[in-house]
Amino acid sequence: MKSSIKHSFRFCLPALVLFAFSMMTSPLFGLEGAGGEANLKLPDLASVDFLGVNGKELLYGGLLISALGLGFGLLIYTQLKNMPVHRSMLAI
């Protein structure tokens, strides 16, 4: 069973890479010609509204939520690390 999955993955991977490359270089993505990411035209976030929320406010709100999640994760990690543990579990 596992060998058939590996075989199909080996067959599909080049096709997926070729498809992704062709989509990235298509005119739909605005990446015609040379330049790459340096020539992407991004809108001003202050001029864009999403459901009545300014683009910059939405971006900063997302960054704040991400920072709070990082702080929560670090807090839980330190609490878990400082918990008492059996000697046999320390060997793992």
Side-chain angles (χ1 to χ4, degrees), residues 40-64:
L40 288 176
K41 293 181 174 95
L42 299 175
D44 181 25
L45 289 178
S47 66
V48 179
D49 285 342
F50 183 74
L51 298 176
V53 180
N54 190 353
K56 272 191 175 178
E57 293 173 1
L58 188 64
L59 176 67
Y60 291 142
L63 290 173
L64 177 67

Side-chain angles (χ1 to χ4, degrees), residues 2 21 27 33 39-40 58 87:
K2 288 184 181 181
F21 181 75
N39 291 334
L40 288 176
L58 188 64
R87 245 181 301 146

Side-chain angles (χ1 to χ4, degrees), residues 7-56:
H7 177 69
S8 62
F9 182 72
R10 284 185 195 155
F11 176 73
C12 292
L13 184 64
L16 288 174
V17 169
L18 183 63
F19 175 75
F21 181 75
S22 66
M23 288 304 292
M24 287 174 34
T25 57
S26 75
L28 295 174
F29 285 88
L31 296 176
E32 293 175 327
E37 294 177 8
N39 291 334
L40 288 176
K41 293 181 174 95
L42 299 175
D44 181 25
L45 289 178
S47 66
V48 179
D49 285 342
F50 183 74
L51 298 176
V53 180
N54 190 353
K56 272 191 175 178

